[in-house]
Amino acid sequence: MSAPVVWINAIWILIFAICEMALSNYSEDQCSWRGSGLSQQQGSVEQISLHCSEGTLDWLYPKGALRLTLSPRLPSVAVGPGAGSSSGLITACVKPSEQFHGAQLYLERDGVLELLVGDRLETSPPPRVRCFSRLPGEKVALFLQATPHQDISRRIASFRYELRGDWTARLALDSNTISSEDACRPCNNTEILMAVCTSDFVVRGNIQSVEEDENLKAAVIKVSATRVFRQKYALFTGNSRLTSKGEIRTLLHCGVKPGPGSFLFTGRVHFGEAWLGCAPRYKDFQRAYTIAKAAQQIPCELPID
């Protein structure tokens, strides 16, 4: 490569870096942060505080360190398998980008660091979602430490985060510490009726097929939805007026199989994907809902058939 070409490339990198430095601390909604390590002094630790239940962090040209505290106002506790026994716990999950490079991500708890995501090589598999929990008032933070590289021009440490006032995120995404019995047991009638009110999606439909997501070690349920009662995002879509299509994920070891019958699917959305909560057969839900309504014990109304 000739010298003029090298100088042109260097100038473009410098211009891009200056623009990133100008935006380094800009966070309009206090949910996300984007910045450049080129604006930091060697060995410094930049303090960042975000106040939403979900967002992103993009650290270009990592140098020095970042310390991130998350202090959101969380919604009420959800219900379902594994959720009721952990009142007061807050679950946080981080999903590194597939191009996560140039830094290591740690959980800082009571002054002790626990490695969540290491610096990746070009040939490394995509990093997994990592989750942790904390009690109200417990001091935890995320700590990013830049790793030394001669060429930092292609290094970006980027991840998404979510916080929930329940266990559902951990059940869905990082289930190493959750027993199969807790994660896969059917919901009781009380949990079903509450799930209808508190879930991100409530859909009646049939299971068309079940596939395996090797990266997440999850089962992907292909659903043909005959009625969408509610959905937080456009999860179930289609051209037909009678049916729509969508996918719901659940733990692989729960052993979900395709079969006949209509179900009521409820659950949460994590990083843009639907994860299963309660899923009774629709006729069983109808029976429980009718009995509870007659006794004036339903937490919310649903226009059932």
Side-chain angles (χ1 to χ4, degrees), residues 1-15:
M1 184 179 294
S2 63
V5 174
V6 173
W7 275 106
I8 292 173
N9 289 339
I11 291 172
W12 275 113
I13 292 175
L14 180 60
I15 293 173

Side-chain angles (χ1 to χ4, degrees), residues 187-196 264 278-300 302 304-305:
C187 296
N188 59 40
N189 287 344
T190 301
E191 291 171 336
I192 291 170
L193 295 174
M194 282 300 297
V196 167
L264 185 74
C278 298
R281 290 191 176 273
Y282 192 75
K283 62 180 182 180
D284 295 334
F285 161 72
Q286 281 181 307
R287 186 183 307 112
Y289 183 87
T290 302
I291 294 173
K293 187 174 183 180
Q296 297 183 339
Q297 294 179 345
I298 55 172
C300 65
L302 193 71
I304 66 173
D305 301 333

